[in-house]
Amino acid sequence: MRFVIIGSGRVGLRTARVLREEGHDVTLVELDRDRASRARDMSFEVVQGDGSHEETLLEAGIEDADALGALTADLNVNFAACMIAKHFGCRTVLRVDEDYREEVYQKYAKEVDEIVYPERLGAIGAKNALLGGSIQAIADIAKSLQVVLVTVTESSPMNGYSIGEVALPSQARLLAFGKNGKPMGIPLPDDSLETGDRVAVLAEFDVLNDVRQLLVGDEMAATAGGV
């Protein structure tokens, strides 16, 4: 596939590197001369210019691109680039660095295909390392939704029950299940929950503690609130 990435800073450059390693064609758009030069030294195709301008994106090949990632630290530039890319039929991914009011978030979310929060994803990794234990956050899906990976413990109220018997809160859904030491897959009603098994759950923040108590039990009781 062919991708256009706006911004060759920390997020943009790492994203471009991963895409290239997987065999995709990537063109970076960077306004800063030094950053553009650094990306070229890494053998990337780079267009130096403002990613919020249509002529710059045309030079970067937006007409033939499958998707655009607007990954600068400037939300206005990112949003403008996404709107131009959308006009050319590209999938659009918008980087957001701050928590905006819900109505502002909804405005952006409606206009692009995907919103990413690099700082929040980094914070998830740090938080998991600090908490330890049997529940880990995987990703924030939206302002109020998170995917968590739960390891069933001996103290879990659901230990010994089947997937079909697990009554999650109405604001939570079980996405995947894996036996201890085996790959995860689609959860089946007859799958039994035993110590060491893992389940991936999509849940609203308000019910994460309920999910934890149901699937983990008292192991995390001493940990300060919030996943």
Side-chain angles (χ1 to χ4, degrees):
M1 297 177 68
R2 179 167 177 76
F3 298 95
V4 174
I5 302 295
I6 312 300
S8 65
R10 174 178 53 85
V11 178
L13 200 58
R14 288 180 180 177
T15 304
R17 186 183 299 118
V18 171
L19 289 170
R20 185 173 65 178
E21 288 174 353
E22 293 181 357
H24 301 292
D25 293 326
V26 182
T27 298
L28 285 160
V29 175
E30 175 56 59
L31 182 61
D32 182 83
R33 185 183 302 274
D34 291 337
R35 285 185 174 180
S37 177
R38 181 183 64 178
R40 289 193 184 98
D41 290 342
M42 298 173 66
S43 301
F44 281 107
E45 181 180 346
V46 182
V47 172
Q48 186 177 341
D50 191 332
S52 65
H53 293 173
E54 183 173 352
E55 59 269 25
T56 303
L57 296 184
L58 287 170
E59 184 180 351
I62 195 64
E63 292 174 294
D64 300 318
D66 295 292
L68 174 138
L71 305 179
T72 78
D74 188 325
L75 179 59
N76 292 323
V77 169
N78 293 345
F79 188 67
C82 284
M83 293 304 95
I84 296 169
K86 204 170 187 68
H87 175 74
F88 288 97
C90 290
R91 175 175 172 80
T92 53
V93 176
L94 174 75
R95 169 184 172 179
V96 176
D97 288 330
E98 301 177 12
D99 286 328
Y100 287 84
R101 298 187 308 275
E102 183 67 23
E103 62 269 23
V104 177
Y105 168 82
Q106 290 296 337
K107 170 187 173 182
Y108 288 117
K110 291 177 181 177
E111 298 294 336
V112 301
D113 293 301
E114 196 79 38
I115 289 180
V116 294
Y117 298 84
E119 279 71 20
R120 186 179 295 179
L121 292 175
I124 285 175
K127 178 172 57 179
N128 287 336
L130 288 167
L131 288 175
S134 298
I135 184 166
Q136 291 187 311
I138 299 175
D140 285 348
I141 303 302
K143 287 177 72 71
S144 62
L145 284 173
Q146 190 173 80
V147 177
V148 295
L149 182 65
V150 180
T151 301
V152 177
T153 67
E154 290 185 6
S155 60
S156 167
M158 289 291 100
N159 196 326
Y161 285 76
S162 68
I163 292 291
E165 294 174 309
V166 176
L168 291 174
S170 60
Q171 302 97 323
R173 296 289 184 273
L174 201 156
L175 301 179
F177 171 76
K179 297 299 292 181
N180 187 6
K182 295 183 179 180
M184 299 189 72
I186 297 174
L188 300 176
D190 293 335
D191 287 332
S192 61
L193 289 171
E194 300 171 341
T195 301
D197 293 348
R198 295 162 300 139
V199 291
V201 179
L202 172 67
E204 293 188 5
F205 291 153
D206 291 345
V207 300
L208 284 173
N209 281 331
D210 295 334
V211 171
R212 174 193 297 148
Q213 290 300 320
L214 183 67
L215 296 175
V216 177
D218 296 330
E219 184 198 59
M220 299 281 290
T223 301
V227 172

